[in-house]
Amino acid sequence: EDQVTQSPEALRLQEGESSSLNCSYTVSGLRGLFWYRQDPGKGPEFLFTLYSAGEEKEKERLKATLTKKESFLHITAPKPEDSATYLCAATPGSARQLTFGSGTQLTVLP
Amino acid sequence: NAGVTQTPKFRVLKTGQSMTLLCAQDMNHEYMYWYRQDPGMGLRLIHYSVGEGTTAKGEVPDGYNVSRLKKQNFLLGLESAAPSQTSVYFCASSYLQGDEKLFFGSGTQLSVL
């Protein structure tokens, strides 16, 4: 069974305190690994897609990386506006639908 | 550019009542999806459509029906609502299926009493 597991469930950081969010996946023949950001009361918003192990993508203070078993979302010197829930999703090779993790709720304190 | 629009934003139903959620997208996307989001469980796919006039079952289709009569609209119906269907429902669309990013609506909070 395809599974995507995110950790931790919640993370509180001080402004400027860098950290990483983890997404481990067990899907057969990964086609793509996606990161989304979700603000309270809103729908998820696309951040990154990663397709192969070793690939990295960056956007402002965020950098996503991918290995054969997991993906990390690194947050460098976060600001309060980075507070949100970050969702990870994977598309297995046998199916073309995304499997989502349950998310990491990030709070950045000023 | 509106993107993906969902109506209504909130709804309260009594057990056994029926309702329809409407999703409209203005990006000319072929693929549209309905998800539900529950605490601690992530987003789960209910039904999806790969084009006008086509629909398919996702991971949790029981108790729901869908229709895609026009390319820009995707309707989700609950014929006889149950408390287990209390959730936040999200519509999404994409240009490509599985390989492309999804564009989500802002969600519908549904409570079934």
Side-chain angles (χ1 to χ4, degrees):
Chain A
E1 181 181 347
D2 298 322
Q3 283 192 329
V4 175
T5 303
Q6 293 188 245
S7 62
E9 291 185 6
L11 181 63
R12 290 166 67 92
L13 300 173
Q14 290 294 134
E15 184 172 1
E17 179 186 3
S18 301
S19 187
S20 296
L21 312 182
N22 177 264
C23 170
S24 62
Y25 62 91
T26 52
V27 299
S28 51
L30 182 74
R31 290 173 57 88
L33 189 292
F34 297 75
W35 283 97
Y36 287 83
R37 170 188 171 131
Q38 186 174 21
D39 293 301
K42 296 188 178 181
E45 181 179 347
F46 172 80
L47 290 173
F48 305 109
T49 307
L50 302 166
Y51 291 104
S52 57
E55 189 175 0
E56 299 182 351
K57 288 193 177 175
E58 290 188 63
K59 180 180 179 180
E60 296 180 357
R61 295 176 292 282
L62 301 177
K63 183 170 78 172
T65 62
L66 182 65
T67 72
K68 289 185 177 180
K69 294 183 178 182
E70 54 193 351
S71 178
F72 294 94
L73 185 64
H74 307 277
I75 303 175
T76 302
K79 298 182 178 182
E81 53 261 42
D82 294 322
S83 297
T85 296
Y86 290 87
L87 302 174
C88 171
T91 303
S94 59
R96 305 194 75 181
Q97 305 306 327
L98 289 171
T99 298
F100 278 88
S102 55
T104 294
Q105 184 176 2
L106 174 67
T107 303
V108 182
L109 304 171
Chain B
N1 192 348
V4 179
T5 303
Q6 291 183 233
T7 54
K9 294 188 181 300
F10 302 94
R11 187 72 186 267
V12 178
L13 292 178
K14 294 182 179 180
T15 297
Q17 288 185 319
S18 63
M19 76 162 295
T20 300
L21 306 183
L22 172 63
C23 176
Q25 53 95 2
D26 61 2
M27 296 172 283
N28 202 34
H29 285 167
E30 288 291 339
Y31 302 93
M32 297 187 74
Y33 313 82
W34 277 106
Y35 286 89
R36 60 178 289 173
Q37 187 174 41
D38 302 292
M41 300 193 70
L43 286 157
R44 291 182 292 169
L45 183 64
I46 304 171
H47 286 281
Y48 64 99
S49 169
V50 300
E52 182 179 316
T54 71
T55 63
K57 295 180 180 180
E59 180 185 357
V60 288
D62 294 341
Y64 305 94
N65 57 77
V66 288
S67 64
R68 183 103 180 264
L69 297 180
K70 294 182 178 181
K71 184 177 182 179
Q72 63 268 32
N73 295 337
F74 195 29
L75 278 63
L76 178 71
L78 286 72
E79 291 186 347
S80 180
S84 61
Q85 294 177 304
T86 294
S87 186
V88 181
Y89 292 86
F90 288 100
C91 176
S93 70
S94 69
Y95 179 64
L96 294 174
Q97 184 183 23
D99 295 332
E100 190 53 84
K101 63 184 180 182
L102 299 183
F103 293 82
F104 283 87
S106 57
T108 296
Q109 173 73 59
L110 175 65
S111 296
V112 183
L113 306 178

